[in-house]
Each structure stands twice: as C-alpha cells, then as structure tokens.
Amino acid sequence: MKEGRADDSVRRILHVDMDAFYASIEQRDNPALKGKPVAVGRRAGRGVVAAASYEARVFGVRSALPSHMALERCPELIFVPPRFDVYRAVSAQIHTIFRHYTEVIQPLALDEAYLDVTEQWRAYGSATAVAESIRWDIKQQTGLTASAGVSYNRFLAKLASGQRKPDGLFVISPRQGAAFVADLPVEKFHGVGPATTKRMHALGIHTGADLKSWTVPELRQHFGSSAQFYHDIARGEDHRPVEANRPRKSLGTETTFTHDVVEWDRLAAILKDIVRKLAAGCVQKRIAGRTVTLKLRYAGFHTVTRARSAAFPTVEEGVLLSMALELLRSFFPLDKPVRLLGLTISSLVPYDDGTLPVQMGLFE
C-alpha cells in the first residue's frame, strides 16, 4: 500500500485486536500471574474458559473449552473469576484512544474494533504509522499489548491482525491482497465458520484459489445470499464500510447450571433472575425491544429456541417475565433435563423514560 502517494480511491482500514484481553488484564493486575498459564472462568463443575493467556494456549486451552478439559490439558492452569466491570472500563479507555485518531470506529467486542483512517492517515505519514501509534498509546496508557492489521478493506485487515500475534502488526497492500487470499485455507477466512468450511471442503473448495474458480451463480446454489461475499473475498475484495455507531440488534444473558434441572419451580426461579438482569441491562443501555427469545439447552448439548413478540417495545420486567414464562411453559413436559437457560431481547428501539407506548402486554 503506497501510502506516501495520495490515492483517494484506496481505503485505509485498521483492525486492532487486544492480545488475550481478559487474561492479560488479570496478569497485569496480579504480577504473581505473569508468565503462568491463566484461564478466566470458573474452575468447578460445568465451568467454561472465557479467556486464556498465551502461556495456557500453548497447552491447547482456548475460550469456550470446558474447564475440566482445560485442566486435563494443563494441570497447572490457574483459574481466576471474570471481572467484566474492569474489562469494560479498560475497553472504554482503549476506545478513547481510538477516537483520538478517527471517529469512524466499529467495535466488534470489548477487545477489538475496525477503524477507518482513510481521511486521517496523511497526518501520520501512513496508515501503518497510525496503527503503530495506536498500539504505542495502548501500551503506555493501559500496560497491555495490541496486535493490528492494516489493509484496504475489513476482511483483509481482520486477517492481517492475526498474522503476528501477540504484540504484532501486519500489512496487506492492494497489490498483495489477491495473492495472500489465494494460498489461504478457507477455514482461516473470517466469515467462513465451521459448518460452511465443511460444506466447502465437500465441494472441493479448500483454499482461496479454489473458491475463486467458482462463479456467483454456482456459489449461490450452495451458499445462497452469501455467494457474492464469498466470490469477492476470494479475490481480496470487500466493499463493506466500517460502520460507526452500528445499532445493537439484540441483548441477552444466560446461565449454565452446576447440575441439570428438571423442576418447573427451579427453572422459573432461574428465569426470573435472568429477566431481572436483562431488564436492568435494557434500562442501562437505553434500549427497549419487542421480541423475546428463550434458549434452552438440554443435557447432551441439544439446544432449542422459541420466540414471542409483543405489540409494542418494552423494558418492563413484569412484561418480559410474563413472555419468558409463557415460552418456558411451551417446553413442558421436558424431553430431557436442562443444563442452560438464556433469554434475548431483539427488535430494539432507543428508549427514554416516558417515550414508550403504555399497552405493553398485548401480544401479536
């Protein structure tokens, strides 16, 4: 990417990704954990690893791995309970740094974001220099390291940020993009998940070069509306903008049980607590929603969901609980004991006191 030469047709996109974010914060705040395999999560029962330090990853410990399996892979693993309030505070600190460089920021999670610096890079000499400056500021102000990818679109910037982790930076220029993708296994493509990877492999598509040989109509027969996206990324193309202030689509919370539950009274009590947390989250984030989706996971990990919509957006705990309990009743009698219960609210609208309709209880 010849950034020294003005070229308004080329976007400058960064993907900044914090390195082992939760675990790194725990190691920063507790020096006794530095250099040791650390997992953020719950050790006992049906605990799951929320994040793992790089020392733990050497043993194959990854996020979403059941805790008992993590301990089998790394008996010296140190579990620490998550402190999400701290992680959110550090994330806000990092986003303040981002805003010093650009307002066009699309958060993906607490620990990563896209930044469009197409209008700002000249002041720093190059987009690479912007990324280096951001990484320096993060290190100085938080004591944490970040990796960054620099490219001309979101897809390649995301791929680039993972090339030299941890604490690294990688650039994919317009001249390099197509060749970089050609040699890459499709399972490494951001936006191609395990199920799609399996389907692509069954069709003989194993690399970007394989994918590039398929036309859009051919891809549409197997991948529907995603065909154009797959066609483009196989050529190193991605026209999606960095979406600043992207509206939230849903808000949810869930609970995994220490022991399987079959009793209605117990599940209803757990669901009441979940509703309370969800309603509080809606008020805090100033959003209301119309659709409630209940997720139920049986022993054996089979997961089912059911949804119900109200006539008007709501944040009222009583209305949400009524909808959630009605959905829960629809699962009884249970096929199997339950190990997880979750609730999500969607069809969101901004919420301010006194702005929502009063007929909250009418279902569609």
Side-chain angles (χ1 to χ4, degrees):
M1 191 181 304
K2 293 185 178 180
E3 296 165 320
R5 183 182 65 191
D7 187 348
D8 292 335
S9 67
V10 177
R11 292 186 296 165
R12 271 75 176 177
I13 309 299
L14 314 182
H15 179 258
V16 181
D17 193 5
M18 300 301 297
D19 299 320
F21 186 51
Y22 298 172
S24 294
I25 290 176
E26 299 301 335
Q27 290 178 316
R28 179 197 68 177
D29 294 349
N30 183 357
L33 298 177
K34 289 185 177 179
K36 296 181 179 179
V38 173
V40 175
R42 184 161 54 87
R43 178 190 181 106
R46 289 177 171 165
V48 174
V49 175
S53 68
Y54 283 99
E55 295 85 355
R57 295 181 188 186
V58 171
F59 295 91
V61 178
R62 296 286 189 275
S63 61
L65 185 72
S67 298
H68 71 90
M69 294 181 62
L71 286 166
E72 290 174 0
R73 297 181 183 185
C74 180
E76 304 302 318
L77 188 64
I78 302 170
F79 276 87
V80 296
R83 299 181 296 155
F84 290 108
D85 56 337
V86 175
Y87 309 150
R88 284 190 289 267
V90 177
S91 178
Q93 189 178 4
I94 292 166
H95 279 261
T96 298
I97 294 172
F98 291 161
R99 287 193 294 273
H100 176 74
Y101 294 89
T102 179
E103 291 294 330
V104 188
I105 303 163
Q106 180 178 332
L108 300 182
L110 290 178
D111 60 343
E112 61 175 318
Y114 292 115
L115 290 77
D116 189 326
V117 296
T118 304
E119 301 299 323
Q120 293 83 10
W121 68 270
R122 292 174 181 81
Y124 300 88
S126 69
T128 303
V130 177
E132 287 285 24
S133 186
I134 289 173
R135 295 195 324 117
W136 170 262
D137 286 350
I138 290 173
K139 178 67 174 179
Q140 294 301 306
Q141 296 184 35
T142 71
L144 304 171
T145 63
S147 295
V150 182
S151 197
Y152 56 97
N153 62 46
R154 282 172 42 181
F155 173 71
L156 290 172
K158 173 78 172 178
L159 289 180
S161 67
Q163 294 300 303
R164 291 182 179 165
K165 271 188 161 292
D167 197 18
L169 184 146
F170 193 79
V171 179
I172 302 176
S173 72
R175 185 174 298 176
Q176 299 166 331
F180 183 88
V181 172
D183 295 331
L184 201 67
V186 291
E187 56 265 31
K188 299 290 186 181
F189 285 21
H190 178 60
V192 177
T196 302
T197 295
K198 185 176 180 180
R199 290 162 61 195
M200 286 188 175
H201 284 177
L203 295 168
I205 303 172
H206 296 276
T207 66
D210 295 333
L211 184 58
K212 187 178 180 180
S213 68
W214 286 60
T215 66
V216 172
E218 290 171 337
L219 290 170
R220 189 172 290 117
Q221 291 179 13
H222 298 278
F223 304 105
S225 61
S226 298
Q228 187 66 55
F229 175 72
Y230 296 148
H231 174 272
D232 291 347
I233 61 176
R235 291 157 174 77
E237 300 173 3
D238 179 8
H239 305 293
R240 296 172 300 167
V242 174
E243 299 176 1
N245 301 316
R246 188 173 48 159
R248 178 185 288 273
K249 295 183 178 180
S250 65
L251 181 68
T253 186
E254 61 186 36
T255 298
T256 300
F257 312 142
T258 304
H259 302 287
D260 295 338
V261 179
V262 295
E263 301 86 0
W264 164 265
D265 289 346
R266 177 64 179 145
L267 288 171
I270 293 170
L271 187 57
K272 184 175 181 180
D273 186 58
I274 290 175
V275 168
R276 179 184 58 78
K277 294 177 182 177
L278 184 60
C282 287
V283 172
Q284 180 183 17
K285 298 182 183 301
R286 315 306 295 168
I287 54 176
R290 293 177 53 247
T291 301
V292 169
T293 302
L294 181 71
K295 178 169 74 171
L296 188 148
R297 180 170 296 156
Y298 294 111
F301 292 90
H302 176 59
T303 302
V304 290
T305 62
R306 291 180 185 173
R308 192 78 189 271
S309 293
F312 301 99
T314 183
V315 293
E316 290 189 6
E317 186 175 331
V319 175
L320 294 176
L321 180 59
S322 177
M323 296 171 71
L325 288 174
E326 185 169 346
L327 289 169
L328 181 62
R329 287 191 191 96
S330 70
F331 287 105
F332 275 77
L334 293 171
D335 294 334
K336 299 177 182 178
V338 178
R339 62 174 284 120
L340 177 147
L341 208 57
L343 197 68
T344 299
I345 188 169
S346 56
S347 301
L348 302 178
V349 297
Y351 158 70
D352 287 307
D353 293 334
T355 62
L356 295 177
V358 294
Q359 299 104 323
M360 296 295 187
L362 301 178
F363 297 123
E364 290 183 329

